[in-house]
Amino acid sequence: MFKSLKRSAKGAAVPHEKGTAGMATVTMATPAHVIIPMSMHIGAPAEPVVKKGDQVCVGTLIGKAGGFVSANIYSSVSGTVEGVAPFRMVNGSTCQAVAIAADGQQTVDPACVPPVVTDKKSLMAAVQACGLVGLGGAGFPTHVKLAAEGIDTLLINAAECEPYLSTDTREMLECSDTILSGITAVMKYCNIPNCIIGIERNKPECIDLMCSLVRDMQGVSVKPLPMRYPQGAEKTLVETCTGREVPQIGPSGKPGLPADVHCIIMNVTSVSTLGKFLKTGVPLTTKRVTVEGDAIAKPQNIEVPIGTLYRDVIEACGGIKPDVELGKIIFGGPMMGGASPSADYPVLKQNNGLLLFSRKMATLPEPDPCIRCGRCVEVCRKVQGISALTLDDIGTKRGVGIVGADRWIDSPGCVECGQCTLVCPTGALGEKDQCDTAIDWFDDPDIKTIVAFAPSARVTIGDEFGLEPGKNTEGQLITAIKMLGADFVCDVNWGADVTIMEEGNEFLSRLRTGGTLPMMTSCCPGWVTYVEKHHPEMMGNLSTTRSPQGIFGALAKTWFAKTHNI
């Protein structure tokens, strides 16, 4: 049986927040200073090759790859090196970083010339010279990925499934030419016959544009993807686009990779950056960042020099709204990004978002014991036949709702039977606790308190104290209630006896006078409410006698109070 089971990448439906998708990229003015860490990728940190006082240009090599799994790092501004020193990153790790004072000229290094690419070896060298890493967030050195052999499919990850982020969307709309030239180069020199560009369906303008551009490209197609998170995860993307499953453990005994099923994945901005480098020779020195959130004055997509501090990016976007208290800074998206303790950290190669949220937005809601199991909804529908409850909304907002109303008291269907509280496994639904009110009444010398318990209570309460099942605890129960401070303790049997007499008299009266028959008891408030809301045509069949509790309450406040001079 288990061999027939197939893994399914269903994913989660996260809120579709893409308010900047239609905003063209703005180029940020050159900041006064940048701090460029030597570790902006997976693998060994780069080794600084400059020192304090050195003059650098845009594209000057300042950090040489520290091994095969590493990446070159280049100056993003022209100016003077202020120093090379250890720097604590936003994730808590420490690495060397180069601080540069910009001169505002943004002079490009004369060494930046388009590379000559004739085969896979020279393409790999060009990718290394570009300093290219995965720009979707992972930061894996691209040349390591392209070194794989036996690849038959190049997957371009343009899913951009994170809420808020729209940098890849703008890359497709603004730089489609370099996306295609980058794809062409990788397919040609790595001998990859097929390419699939995966784009989530919430970007129809990108799908239409890319479909029109690749129509005549041999082996290249566009795959609209479901709007489910994490559609851009490599295993999910491979399965959705090709139907292949990346193994948990690859042939090497290590965790499986897309290359194990003859695929490699490149982020759409990564492949576009390669196309730009092949055309201009200028390495990776800038990054488009989506600046969003309810606290930022001017949300936008902005291209910034790598190493620009968050505070300078925030200032370039109009700063924090004057009437808003900043609650959280997130670098990246809300799903995979991280929280920054301050705005004094630099934008890295793989950063694609800077989210600024107000204190209100950033404050987590109180923990909700409801686990959305649906048992209350099921018992209401299948056992009671009421269907007063439903599961509302999606994702983290999903919860139990009331059909046709916002409050229980306004429900057109709920009969207050309590079945939902009985089946709730976490206590998210329960009876209204009035113990504190009762204790206040017990302690008030001006209030005379009368407690009445039902016949079942004298037996069932013993279970809570580990007594033998069925043991009658009437004496202990009365004593305990009196010790709590109750003035009188009674038995609801008193009210039940009166109910029986009243209903009996009413039944005989109906028989004599030809009243509505059959006559049904009204001793259960839930039953009466059910008839009122769901079968009003049967209201005449209900007895007009009140419930035992109702009768007891009326007698306690009138006859009992009078006979005891209360």
Side-chain angles (χ1 to χ4, degrees):
M1 178 185 72
F2 294 105
K3 292 183 178 179
S4 65
L5 296 178
K6 179 178 173 64
R7 185 178 67 219
S8 180
K10 296 294 184 182
V14 299
H16 177 62
E17 300 282 353
K18 299 284 186 180
T20 59
M23 298 181 181
T25 305
V26 176
T27 301
M28 177 181 171
T30 306
H33 303 270
V34 294
I35 298 176
I36 305 179
M38 294 293 101
S39 182
M40 294 189 284
H41 48 263
I42 292 175
E47 299 173 357
V49 294
V50 292
K51 61 184 183 303
K52 183 177 180 179
D54 285 353
Q55 298 296 308
V56 294
C57 298
V58 174
T60 297
L61 181 70
I62 60 173
K64 186 173 178 59
F68 181 65
V69 185
S70 186
N72 289 339
I73 295 175
Y74 299 88
S75 175
S76 59
V77 296
S78 59
T80 305
V81 175
E82 294 182 301
V84 180
F87 180 78
R88 186 169 295 280
M89 304 279 281
V90 69
N91 63 2
S93 64
T94 301
C95 68
Q96 292 291 103
V98 177
I100 304 172
D103 60 15
Q105 300 301 309
Q106 290 301 85
T107 305
V108 177
D109 195 307
C112 295
V113 294
V116 177
V117 178
T118 58
D119 53 19
K120 183 172 182 177
K121 182 179 179 180
S122 56
L123 177 66
M124 294 277 290
V127 172
Q128 286 180 292
C130 179
L132 187 58
V133 300
L135 301 181
F140 191 76
T142 302
H143 66 275
V144 179
K145 188 179 295 185
L146 295 180
E149 298 291 343
I151 303 300
D152 62 23
T153 304
L154 170 64
L155 297 178
I156 302 301
N157 185 355
E160 198 166 46
C161 52
E162 282 266 9
Y164 294 101
L165 305 186
S166 58
T167 56
D168 288 343
T169 297
R170 297 315 307 175
E171 190 73 30
M172 286 184 277
L173 296 178
E174 298 172 11
C175 306
S176 58
D177 57 333
T178 50
I179 293 174
L180 299 185
S181 63
I183 290 173
T184 300
V186 173
M187 293 179 69
K188 177 180 178 180
Y189 297 115
C190 294
N191 194 28
I192 302 175
N194 303 303
C195 174
I196 302 173
I197 305 173
I199 309 173
E200 274 199 353
R201 292 194 182 99
N202 56 14
K203 307 170 188 63
E205 69 282 11
C206 296
I207 294 174
D208 292 344
L209 175 62
M210 298 311 295
C211 282
S212 66
L213 293 176
V214 306
R215 186 176 293 114
D216 298 325
M217 292 182 66
Q218 183 67 34
V220 182
S221 62
V222 175
K223 172 76 172 180
L225 304 175
M227 294 183 291
R228 306 291 289 186
Y229 182 88
Q231 197 59 239
E234 61 177 20
K235 292 183 179 180
T236 304
L237 190 66
V238 169
E239 183 174 335
T240 306
C241 290
T242 69
R244 306 170 189 175
E245 290 188 8
V246 178
Q248 294 297 319
I249 303 297
S252 64
K254 297 179 180 180
L257 297 170
D260 295 329
V261 290
H262 312 293
C263 297
I264 56 173
I265 301 174
M266 290 186 71
N267 170 263
V268 69
T269 301
S270 297
V271 77
S272 181
T273 301
L274 175 59
K276 295 171 185 176
F277 179 70
L278 296 177
K279 180 179 180 180
T280 66
V282 178
L284 179 58
T285 59
T286 63
K287 193 69 174 69
R288 181 190 291 106
V289 177
T290 296
V291 184
E292 249 277 37
D294 68 327
I296 191 69
K298 298 178 181 178
Q300 58 190 278
N301 293 297
I302 185 168
E303 187 169 8
V304 307
I306 291 172
T308 302
L309 297 184
Y310 296 164
R311 64 165 177 259
D312 294 327
V313 179
I314 294 171
E315 183 180 348
C317 295
I320 303 300
K321 294 177 182 177
D323 57 340
V324 171
E325 179 187 1
L326 181 62
K328 181 173 286 188
I329 301 173
I330 295 178
F331 56 93
M335 305 299 288
M336 290 293 290
S340 174
S342 76
D344 296 320
Y345 292 92
V347 173
L348 308 181
K349 287 182 180 181
Q350 66 270 40
N351 289 160
N352 45 21
L354 189 62
L355 307 182
L356 294 308
F357 293 115
S358 66
R359 178 71 60 187
K360 179 180 179 181
M361 187 78 168
T363 301
L364 294 175
E366 289 296 320
D368 183 357
C370 177
I371 58 175
R372 286 80 168 168
C373 65
R375 294 181 186 180
C376 57
V377 177
E378 185 176 23
V379 75
C380 187
R381 182 178 69 250
K382 293 184 177 181
V383 177
Q384 292 299 95
I386 300 298
S387 297
L389 300 177
T390 185
L391 286 175
D392 284 337
D393 223 316
I394 61 173
T396 57
K397 297 180 181 178
R398 189 170 179 81
V400 176
I402 305 165
V403 176
D406 295 325
R407 303 185 305 164
W408 287 97
I409 196 171
D410 297 325
S411 170
C414 177
V415 299
E416 302 176 31
C417 65
Q419 289 281 2
C420 54
T421 67
L422 184 66
V423 299
C424 179
T426 64
L429 291 174
E431 302 85 355
K432 185 176 181 181
D433 189 344
Q434 294 182 314
C435 289
D436 290 341
T437 301
I439 291 173
D440 288 341
W441 289 345
F442 289 157
D443 292 340
D444 192 331
D446 296 326
I447 296 178
K448 292 295 182 180
T449 53
I450 304 174
V451 176
F453 56 85
S456 61
R458 70 188 70 174
V459 175
T460 56
I461 198 170
D463 295 343
E464 297 296 322
F465 294 93
L467 301 181
E468 182 181 348
K471 181 176 177 58
N472 188 345
T473 62
E474 181 178 4
Q476 294 100 315
L477 186 58
I478 293 173
T479 300
I481 295 173
K482 294 282 286 185
M483 290 177 68
L484 285 173
D487 295 298
F488 301 96
V489 181
C490 301
D491 197 316
V492 174
N493 274 344
W494 182 33
D497 291 342
V498 177
T499 299
I500 292 171
M501 290 187 293
E502 288 295 316
E503 285 188 341
N505 286 332
E506 183 179 3
F507 177 68
L508 293 175
S509 175
R510 291 192 185 194
L511 281 176
R512 288 193 298 266
T513 61
T516 303
L517 295 172
M519 188 186 85
M520 297 181 291
T521 182
S522 58
C523 67
C524 174
W527 162 242
V528 174
T529 304
Y530 174 81
V531 174
E532 288 177 341
K533 291 185 176 181
H534 297 276
H535 294 283
E537 72 280 4
M538 299 178 64
M539 285 294 294
N541 295 91
L542 289 177
S543 167
T544 59
T545 305
R546 302 171 69 182
S547 69
Q549 291 89 344
I551 288 178
F552 175 84
L555 290 173
K557 293 178 181 179
T558 55
W559 174 83
F560 188 86
K562 182 178 180 180
T563 57
H564 288 77
N565 297 316
I566 300 175

